[in-house]
């Protein structure tokens, strides 16, 4: 079979999956009996008036009498859909529905996806801010930099529920956990590693901020965007790039990569050439995370270097670095202590729990899901798999403990009873 027909087949499979047997991937479920006249009288008028009165008297009663406490809005303007660019809100809907599927599958969180036609960031902010009564949390998704920074900051300030731009912070968490483990396997440490990141947008900027907080040295970092290497000689850099301007002679990605220990790509397909990869230090780490097409394909990279640890954002190669390993569990922890916001410590708790879990033995059930006899901490396994049941046992608890310690939890942590467990 030719490459072309493989690609065609994948396209048809994906379109068929989304179209059949019914359009889309997610629907509403009813959680109470609705079989009798009495049931209906409880579900709607007149019974429904009782929780209305209770909530009007005490807004906290909404956590008890409505689905709000387990409901997250996944909201996009479609301005940075995966790595496909600004294709608008309607085209972002399959991704937002997909996010809903993952929230439900891995953390039993219900989702409403909202694709917002907004003429400017303020219009988007005004729309989302008004939705606070409906939801326990807000997951912002696929909103491009720099508008995502303004939107997230304004909404976090205005709303008393967690507002989390997953492309920024979810991605940063997974990269931090995966990179720590990959460097460790290569006999290196973040504190000494020379790192090059390409794509200083939403995901890239948040990743850099987290890695710098975790010990990456400013002088060991070069950041590349469309203008090339961000350096001190550039005087019209946008605000979110200024922090990363380096004192360096390097001007291109090729210059920057010579002797680098790690590459993190959050940009666009095929930017990392074979020559550039060959010029990196011994035992390099390459995270080519642009979706759906990475900065370099693993089969190409492994031909150039046999001392490489490689990750992509895709599930069809080893080492998927994807925010699915964070957002369901961060929100589960936040909802289960009714957190008002998500703090840096809640994110770091998630990084540490994830990185530690990858270093434990892999469960039989996970091997079965991947149809493998063996898998364990090593170059092809630097992060746990999304199907690992220990994620839901450990990450939300770690996140909620950090929320309690930071004083942002409304209640003590009460783990959500996961369906089919216990
Ligand atoms: N694996 C994962 O879990 C995740 C992967 N991603 C992927 O990361 C990528 C970026 O996403 P996100 O941060 O949300 O998007 P943004 O649009 O906010 O950021 C992309 C950045 O990359 C820059 N860029 C684009 N093309 C090039 C190029 N040819 N050379 C140098 N820089 C370039 C952009 O510059 P400009 O603004 O000028 O276009 C921008 O600064 C996407 O491919 C996305 O799919 C994102 C989140 C999670
Ligand atoms: C995975 C993801 O959120 C993205 O590629 O945008
Ligand atoms: Mg995204």
């Amino acid at each position: 079979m030719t490459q072309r027909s493989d690609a065609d087949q994948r396209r048809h499979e994906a379109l068929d999956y989304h179209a059949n047997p019914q359009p889309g991937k997610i629907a509403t479920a009813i959680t109470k009996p609705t079989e009798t006249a009495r049931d209906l009288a409880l579900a709607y008028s007149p019974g429904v008036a009782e929780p209305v009165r209770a909530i009007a008297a005490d807004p906290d009663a909404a956590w008890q009498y409505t689905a709000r406490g387990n409901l997250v809005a996944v909201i996009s303007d479609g301005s940075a859909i995966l790595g496909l660019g600004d294709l608008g809100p309607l085209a972002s809907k399959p991704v937002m529905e997909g996010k809903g599927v993952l929230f439900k599958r891995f953390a039993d969180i219900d989702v409403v996806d909202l694709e917002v036609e907004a003429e400017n960031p303020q219009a988007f902010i005004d729309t989302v801010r008004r939705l606070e009564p409906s939801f326990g949390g807000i997951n912002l998704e696929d909103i491009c930099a720099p508008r995502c920074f303004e939107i997230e900051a304004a909404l976090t300030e205005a709303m008393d529920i967690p507002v989390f731009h997953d492309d920024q912070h979810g991605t940063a968490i997974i990269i931090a956990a995966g990179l720590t483990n990959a460097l460790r396997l290569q006999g290196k440490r973040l504190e000494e590693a020379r790192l090059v990141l390409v794509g200083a947008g939403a995901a890239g900027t948040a990743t850099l901020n987290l890695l710098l907080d975790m010990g990456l040295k400013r002088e060991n970092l070069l950041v590349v965007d469309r203008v090339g290497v961000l350096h001190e000689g550039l005087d019209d850099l946008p605000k979110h790039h200024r922090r990363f301007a380096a004192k360096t002679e390097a001007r291109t990605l090729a210059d920057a990569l010579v002797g680098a220990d790690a590459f993190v790509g959050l940009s666009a397909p095929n930017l990392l050439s074979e020559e550039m990869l060959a010029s990196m230090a011994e035992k390099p780490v390459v995270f080519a995370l642009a979706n759906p097409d990475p900065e370099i394909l693993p089969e190409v990279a492994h031909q150039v270097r046999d001392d490489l640890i490689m990750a992509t954002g895709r599930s069809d190669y080893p080492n998927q670095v994807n925010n699915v390993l964070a957002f369901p569990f961060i929100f589960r922890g936040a909802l289960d202590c009714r957190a008002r916001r998500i703090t840096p410590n809640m994110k770091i708790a998630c990084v540490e729990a994830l990185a530690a879990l990858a270093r434990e033995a892999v469960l039989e059930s996970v091997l079965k899901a991947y149809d493998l006899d063996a898998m364990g901490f090593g170059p092809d396994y630097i992060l746990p798999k999304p199907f690992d049941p220990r994620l839901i046992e450990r990450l939300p608890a770690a996140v909620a403990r950090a929320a309690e310690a930071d004083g942002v939890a409304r209640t003590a942590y009460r783990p959500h009873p996961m369906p089919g467990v216990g």
Side-chain angles (χ1 to χ4, degrees), residues 16 42 68 115 180 191 231 252 260 272 284 297 310 332 335 338 395 407:
D16 184 54
L42 290 171
R68 183 187 186 209
E115 294 74 25
T180 311
E191 289 78 356
H231 65 90
T252 64
L272 179 59
L297 282 167
M310 165 99 204
R332 186 72 278 158
L335 293 174
R338 297 185 194 160
L395 270 55

Side-chain angles (χ1 to χ4, degrees), residues 80-83 95 99 141-142 166-167 171 289-291 313 322-323:
I81 308 178
L82 309 174
V95 178
K99 212 90 189 183
E141 190 67 30
D142 289 359
D166 189 43
D167 295 288
T171 313
L289 305 182
N291 278 323
N322 187 283
N323 39 33

Side-chain angles (χ1 to χ4, degrees), residues 294-350:
E295 285 79 359
I296 188 168
L297 282 167
E299 53 267 38
V300 176
H302 286 299
Q303 268 181 7
V304 179
R305 303 286 301 239
D306 59 9
D307 57 349
L308 169 78
I309 294 185
M310 165 99 204
T312 68
R314 297 167 52 133
S315 57
D316 53 352
Y317 290 104
N319 293 334
Q320 184 187 22
V321 170
N322 187 283
N323 39 33
V324 67
L325 285 171
F327 67 79
F329 311 107
I330 285 251
F331 271 95
R332 186 72 278 158
L335 293 174
D336 291 350
C337 64
R338 297 185 194 160
R340 296 178 190 280
R341 58 188 60 237
I342 289 171
T343 64
N345 285 331
M346 291 161 78
K347 296 177 209 165
I348 287 176
C350 198

Side-chain angles (χ1 to χ4, degrees), residues 196-200 222-231 234 237 241 244-246 248 250-256:
V196 174
L197 181 139
V198 59
L222 290 175
V223 180
V224 183
D225 207 77
R226 265 187 219 279
V227 290
V229 174
L230 305 185
H231 65 90
L234 293 168
L237 285 176
H241 283 171
F244 308 117
T248 177
R251 293 293 178 264
T252 64
L253 179 58
D255 298 341

